[in-house]
């Protein structure tokens, strides 16, 4: 079985995606790249029923390389992101607040410094039908210089060098969208200057614990 470890990761994160309210029903899809192959969730399968065996493996052109279930309808978007970026994983979700703002805004503004995790204000890709090459093209264009984008009247996509990082960005994107939505209920939010977002991005790159060697 090709990409077994990647398949196990995808099953685990699909279950997390449901628990974190990032998707509804069988919507949403995730993938992990390994060399010239991509492990991707299948189309229309209930997440609770997923097993490593039900995960699909495709090449960078979207062709199946193993017999099994059909891959997600969003294969064009996933493969386009891999071709356009250095992504190791892609997460596509339909969370409530991301989707809500996608029908209202052209861009999620810098209402909180954690938007730096996405590379700055998050653009909204122009609407195109799900699974279409047009949606893939619009999404990649909106991600230029960013690690994610909203899709107009649809949802959100993020990427990272690992599945954990791509998923974390999806969680923070939904949180920032919820924050902006809640703030707008009370008034006009104060926005941070872009230079502050750039500064935060530099700090976040070195944030966390470092491993020391020696005694």
């Amino acid at each position: 079985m090709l990409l077994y470890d990647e398949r196990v990761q995808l099953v685990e994160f699909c279950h997390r995606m449901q628990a974190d309210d990032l998707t509804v029903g069988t919507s949403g899809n995730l993938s992990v790249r390994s060399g010239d192959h991509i492990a991707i969730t299948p189309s229309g399968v209930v997440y609770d029923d997923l097993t490593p065996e039900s995960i699909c493996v495709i090449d960078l052109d979207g062709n199946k390389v193993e017999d099994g279930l059909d891959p997600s309808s969003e294969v064009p978007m996933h493969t386009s992101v891999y071709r356009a970026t250095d992504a190791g994983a892609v997460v596509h979700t339909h969370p409530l607040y991301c989707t809500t703002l996608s029908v209202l805004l052209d861009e999620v503004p810098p209402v909180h410094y954690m938007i730096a995790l996405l590379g700055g204000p998050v653009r909204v890709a122009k609407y195109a039908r799900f699974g279409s090459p047009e949606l893939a093209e619009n999404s990649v264009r909106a991600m230029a210089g960013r690690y994610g984008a909203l899709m107009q009247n649809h949802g959100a996509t993020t990427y990272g060098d690992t599945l954990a990082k791509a998923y974390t960005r999806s969680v923070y994107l939904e949180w920032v969208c919820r924050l902006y939505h809640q703030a707008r209920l009370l008034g006009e939010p104060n926005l941070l200057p872009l230079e502050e977002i750039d500064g935060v991005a530099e700090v976040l790159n070195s944030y966390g614990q470092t491993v020391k060697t020696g005694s």
Side-chain angles (χ1 to χ4, degrees):
M1 180 187 297
L2 290 171
L3 307 187
Y4 180 77
D5 291 342
E6 288 80 1
R7 293 171 187 245
V8 170
Q9 283 187 64
L10 287 172
V11 172
E12 174 191 344
F13 276 90
C14 282
H15 293 161
R16 289 179 59 178
M17 188 163 66
Q18 277 192 309
D20 290 336
D21 291 328
L22 293 182
T23 192
V24 176
T26 62
S27 66
N29 33 80
L30 299 81
S31 69
V32 178
R33 177 178 179 175
S34 179
D36 293 331
H37 290 149
I38 299 167
I40 188 168
T41 49
S43 177
V45 176
V46 176
Y47 288 122
D48 287 340
D49 295 338
L50 282 179
T51 64
E53 292 74 18
S54 59
I55 299 298
C56 307
V57 178
I58 59 175
D59 62 23
L60 292 175
D61 293 321
N63 302 307
K64 291 171 65 175
V65 299
E66 283 190 340
D67 292 334
L69 300 174
D70 289 332
S72 165
S73 60
E74 296 294 2
V75 162
M77 180 165 59
H78 286 256
T79 55
S80 293
V81 173
Y82 288 121
R83 284 194 296 266
T85 71
D86 60 355
V90 176
V91 174
H92 173 60
T93 59
H94 293 176
L96 179 60
Y97 291 93
C98 285
T99 307
T100 297
L101 295 193
S102 81
V103 308
L104 296 169
L105 303 178
D106 294 324
E107 183 178 84
V108 181
V111 70
H112 192 278
Y113 62 81
M114 292 308 286
I115 206 168
L117 289 175
L118 283 305
V122 178
R123 306 181 191 98
V124 179
K126 184 178 179 181
Y127 178 80
R129 185 174 298 174
F130 71 90
S132 66
E134 292 79 14
L135 177 60
E137 180 180 345
N138 294 348
S139 299
V140 168
R141 185 181 299 116
M143 287 184 196
R146 301 288 186 269
Y147 295 105
L150 301 188
M151 275 108 264
Q152 189 179 57
N153 298 79
H154 184 152
T157 298
T158 58
Y159 73 88
D161 55 0
T162 65
L163 183 55
K165 189 171 290 186
Y167 186 84
T168 296
R169 285 174 173 149
S170 287
V171 171
Y172 274 108
L173 178 54
E174 171 67 351
W175 183 83
V176 170
C177 287
R178 182 174 183 177
L179 172 64
Y180 182 75
H181 176 275
Q182 297 297 302
R184 282 300 304 266
L185 294 177
L186 300 176
E188 188 64 33
N190 293 318
L191 302 180
L192 297 173
L194 293 182
E195 55 266 27
E196 175 62 14
I197 300 302
D198 292 340
V200 169
E202 292 183 11
V203 174
L204 289 176
N205 285 334
S206 60
Y207 182 75
Q209 302 296 320
T210 57
V211 178
K212 296 181 179 180
T213 58
S215 56

